[in-house]
Amino acid sequence: RQKRNFYSNQGSGFMRMIHARNFTAAIAMACVTMAAGLAQAIEVKPFEAAAFEAAKSAGKSVVVDVTASWCSTCQAQKRIIGELAKKPEFADVLVLQVDVDTQKDEMRSLGAQNRSTLIAFNGAKETKRTVGDTNPQTVEALFATTLKR
């Protein structure tokens, strides 16, 4: 004799309804997840002086990230920036990465003496600068200084 579970007593229509709801919920969750992936707003590019000057002249929000691939503090900052990229308020922030090993002249022109330096700009105005900061709240506060007021 075949065992019946709770749902089999409810008729086949009930089971179809449960499966349809689960399927609909799964599709909705997949859409939300895909949209979240597309919502990464912060644009990260290698530092180029012309692009930097153009962004400042246009009044854009810019963060210069002085970084090195071998620097663990820089990698921690990169993860924080990745998390900030998910926040809609930072949708228009441009992050320009200066490579410590290959862009010494650019570092000098920015007055950056160390790797893991973050320099925030609201248009042409420097708003904040930190060195070695891996606290997500204070890095977010630095990004917030770039926003229009």
Side-chain angles (χ1 to χ4, degrees):
R1 192 171 140 162
Q2 186 179 19
K3 267 186 157 181
R4 291 181 168 237
N5 64 29
F6 170 78
Y7 299 111
S8 63
N9 293 333
Q10 304 299 318
S12 62
F14 180 77
M15 285 305 295
R16 279 194 298 268
M17 182 179 74
I18 293 296
H19 288 297
R21 282 186 183 165
N22 288 342
F23 180 74
T24 303
I27 294 296
M29 185 56 111
C31 290
V32 167
T33 302
M34 286 177 16
L38 296 174
Q40 183 164 345
I42 293 176
E43 183 179 5
V44 179
K45 299 166 86 174
F47 184 91
E48 292 178 1
F52 177 55
E53 292 303 325
K56 289 193 318 181
S57 295
K60 294 194 175 199
S61 300
V62 179
V63 173
V64 176
D65 177 13
V66 181
T67 188
S69 60
W70 46 265
C71 169
S72 60
T73 301
C74 301
Q75 297 311 309
Q77 289 176 332
K78 186 181 221 173
R79 286 189 294 276
I80 294 167
I81 292 169
E83 288 301 310
L84 293 176
K86 298 173 185 173
K87 297 190 174 200
E89 61 263 38
F90 300 120
D92 296 323
V93 175
L94 170 63
V95 176
L96 296 173
Q97 294 181 323
V98 176
D99 187 307
V100 168
D101 297 317
T102 62
Q103 294 183 297
K104 300 286 186 194
D105 290 339
E106 290 82 348
M107 284 180 63
R108 274 191 286 283
S109 72
L110 293 162
Q113 298 176 353
N114 299 301
R115 65 185 183 277
S116 69
T117 298
L118 297 173
I119 311 167
F121 293 86
N122 182 332
K125 180 183 177 207
E126 182 177 329
T127 57
K128 190 165 184 164
R129 180 182 292 240
T130 64
V131 178
D133 188 358
T134 57
N135 179 310
Q137 289 79 27
T138 56
V139 173
E140 182 172 352
L142 176 135
F143 271 72
T145 68
T146 69
L147 303 177
K148 308 283 184 266
R149 297 198 200 289

